[in-house]
Amino acid sequence: MKRRNAVLLGNVLMGLGLVSMIGGVGLTILGHLKDVVLLPGDLAHIPVMGIFVGALVWLVGARIGGRDRVADRYWWIKHSDNGARKCGYRHKHL
């Protein structure tokens, strides 16, 4: 798969995961209101499951699109030698 196609597929999957997570949270909140009955009792757990499925799709999209690594633009990562002595954390993989 070409890099451009992988990034596009990753972005689409991340978008679908985000929509699924937001929809699951919204349906869960609506389901807890007194007068609103969206699903019968046996199917009431589906919106909560949608949150977790959305998170899984988001992570798969991030992995395919190449966004699963921590960027070097974060100050703490760039200055890890100075911060390691102060906070007791050392980067063994850098």
Side-chain angles (χ1 to χ4, degrees):
M1 182 180 294
K2 292 184 180 178
R3 173 92 174 134
R4 187 177 69 183
N5 291 338
V7 169
L8 181 64
L9 179 62
N11 286 342
V12 167
L13 287 175
M14 287 175 68
L16 288 174
L18 181 66
V19 168
S20 176
M21 286 186 288
I22 291 173
V25 169
L27 288 174
T28 302
I29 291 171
L30 281 175
H32 282 22
L33 295 176
K34 291 182 180 179
D35 296 336
V36 178
V37 177
L38 296 174
L39 296 170
D42 293 339
L43 300 177
H45 64 279
I46 290 178
V48 175
M49 190 174 67
I51 297 170
F52 294 105
V53 170
L56 182 65
V57 171
W58 173 279
L59 291 173
V60 168
R63 179 73 178 177
I64 290 173
R67 296 177 189 233
D68 58 336
R69 294 181 187 91
V70 176
D72 289 335
R73 65 179 175 257
Y74 296 113
W75 184 89
W76 190 67
I77 300 293
K78 285 182 182 177
H79 300 89
S80 63
D81 290 337
N82 294 336
R85 290 186 209 110
K86 293 178 184 175
C87 66
Y89 183 81
R90 296 183 63 186
H91 286 282
K92 294 181 181 176
H93 62 280
L94 292 178

